[in-house]
Amino acid sequence: MRAWQRFRRHPPAMVGLAIIVTFLVLAFAAPLISPYDPNAQDLSAAIQPPSASHWLGTDQLGRDIATRLMYGTRISLLIGVLAVAIGLVVGVPLGVVAGYYGGWADMAVSRFADMLFAFTSILLALTLVAVLGVSLQNVIVAVGISVIPVIVRLVRSSVLSLREEPFVEAARALGAGDLRIIVRHVFRNCLTPVLVHATLSIGVSILLAAGLGFLGLGVQSPTAEWGTMLGEGRQFIFSAPHLTAFPGIAIFLAILAFNLLGDGLRDALDPRLSTTDRPAG
């Protein structure tokens, strides 16, 4: 409850939460809000500017942009959440093993992370999509793998400091096994930075997936996805800027929202790092 109270007193975090909730409402209520089919083409209404009948205009195939943005929210948020989930499922156990046991396990895991770090995130995702093939599932896997090395490093560094804490030494002296110490003492105490980083990583994953879509290697048309919409509208960027402006704004707002939310979670879950309660000057 105290964490929630601190979170509520963090105005930027509440703004981020409000933006995310708005996106979720629009995503799930899209069939009720918009009378248009996101994939229905009407070439006679192609590239129309925003109007009363089409709030954000139409694209080069006459599809309603507002409708496609709402449906695209489902895909973009799905990619972000599932990609981070993959990163957590793989990265957290590897980081815990490396940090807690050290030795050859630490060396093997660290070299694995270094190998992934040798590629930039977008280059790694591009390589994986090129190998796996272009599809929604492969985009999620590619983006998820690019999240793994950062989570491994974060968890490893947290566990390295926690394993030397007095409460861990006390648990070990009382005869607690490694699994019990890891689950009840180590993992629980490194959960806060992991949760904060996971929240921030959702925004990064959305941006990475949008980059793949913009390059034509992400979610394929006619499925609505923000990056794919950007890529389709780039040839009309001067004659019909609304084709790229609105998907770009959606991506910007989503990334901003998760960054604000992550910052608020950090201050709420670890008051020692709070920036909102510090006196000015």
Side-chain angles (χ1 to χ4, degrees):
M1 292 300 294
R2 291 181 180 179
W4 170 243
Q5 291 172 359
R6 287 192 293 268
F7 183 82
R8 290 180 59 186
R9 292 198 299 268
H10 196 289
M14 296 303 295
V15 171
L17 180 61
I19 294 174
I20 294 171
V21 170
T22 301
F23 273 129
L24 290 174
V25 170
L26 291 175
F28 288 102
L32 302 177
I33 297 174
S34 176
Y36 301 102
D37 184 324
N39 299 325
Q41 301 180 13
D42 182 6
L43 296 179
S44 63
I47 315 183
Q48 290 187 357
S51 63
S53 56
H54 298 282
W55 302 334
L56 302 182
T58 60
D59 64 9
Q60 69 278 11
L61 297 178
R63 298 172 297 191
D64 184 67
I65 292 178
T67 302
R68 288 181 61 76
L69 280 178
M70 287 187 284
Y71 279 89
T73 303
R74 300 178 178 182
I75 302 298
S76 295
L77 292 183
L78 179 68
I79 292 174
V81 172
L82 291 184
V84 172
I86 291 173
L88 291 174
V89 169
V90 178
V92 170
L94 289 178
V96 169
V97 169
Y100 186 81
Y101 291 104
W104 66 266
D106 186 16
M107 181 177 296
V109 172
S110 296
R111 297 298 78 78
F112 170 71
D114 290 340
M115 181 182 66
L116 296 181
F117 267 123
F119 300 87
T120 60
S121 296
I122 185 64
L123 181 58
L124 178 59
L126 282 171
T127 302
L128 292 171
V129 168
V131 172
L132 299 174
V134 178
S135 69
L136 174 59
Q137 295 83 356
N138 291 341
V139 169
I140 294 173
V141 171
V143 176
I145 291 176
S146 70
V147 175
I148 291 174
V150 181
I151 294 178
V152 169
R153 285 284 183 85
L154 175 65
V155 175
R156 175 183 176 273
S157 63
S158 297
V159 174
L160 279 174
S161 61
L162 287 169
R163 72 178 185 179
E164 306 299 334
E165 291 290 333
F167 61 86
V168 174
E169 295 291 342
R172 189 177 291 116
L174 292 173
D178 288 343
L179 181 60
R180 182 181 180 87
I181 292 174
I182 289 173
V183 173
R184 296 199 59 180
H185 301 287
V186 174
F187 177 71
R188 289 175 62 181
N189 284 280
C190 72
L191 190 59
T192 294
V194 171
L195 180 60
V196 171
H197 181 76
T199 304
L200 298 173
S201 294
I202 294 177
V204 175
S205 299
I206 291 173
L207 179 61
L208 190 55
L212 292 174
F214 179 80
L215 295 173
L217 295 174
V219 178
Q220 298 297 293
S221 186
T223 302
E225 190 269 332
W226 296 339
T228 303
M229 294 175 66
L230 272 176
E232 291 175 343
R234 61 185 170 185
Q235 59 183 314
F236 305 100
I237 192 169
F238 296 111
S239 59
H242 64 280
L243 269 66
T244 53
F246 293 121
I249 291 172
I251 294 170
F252 164 76
L253 288 176
I255 296 171
L256 176 65
F258 282 106
N259 285 345
L260 294 177
L261 182 63
D263 187 56
L265 286 176
R266 182 201 63 189
D267 290 351
L269 297 176
D270 192 349
R272 295 172 299 176
L273 300 177
S274 177
T275 58
T276 57
D277 295 334
R278 294 176 185 171

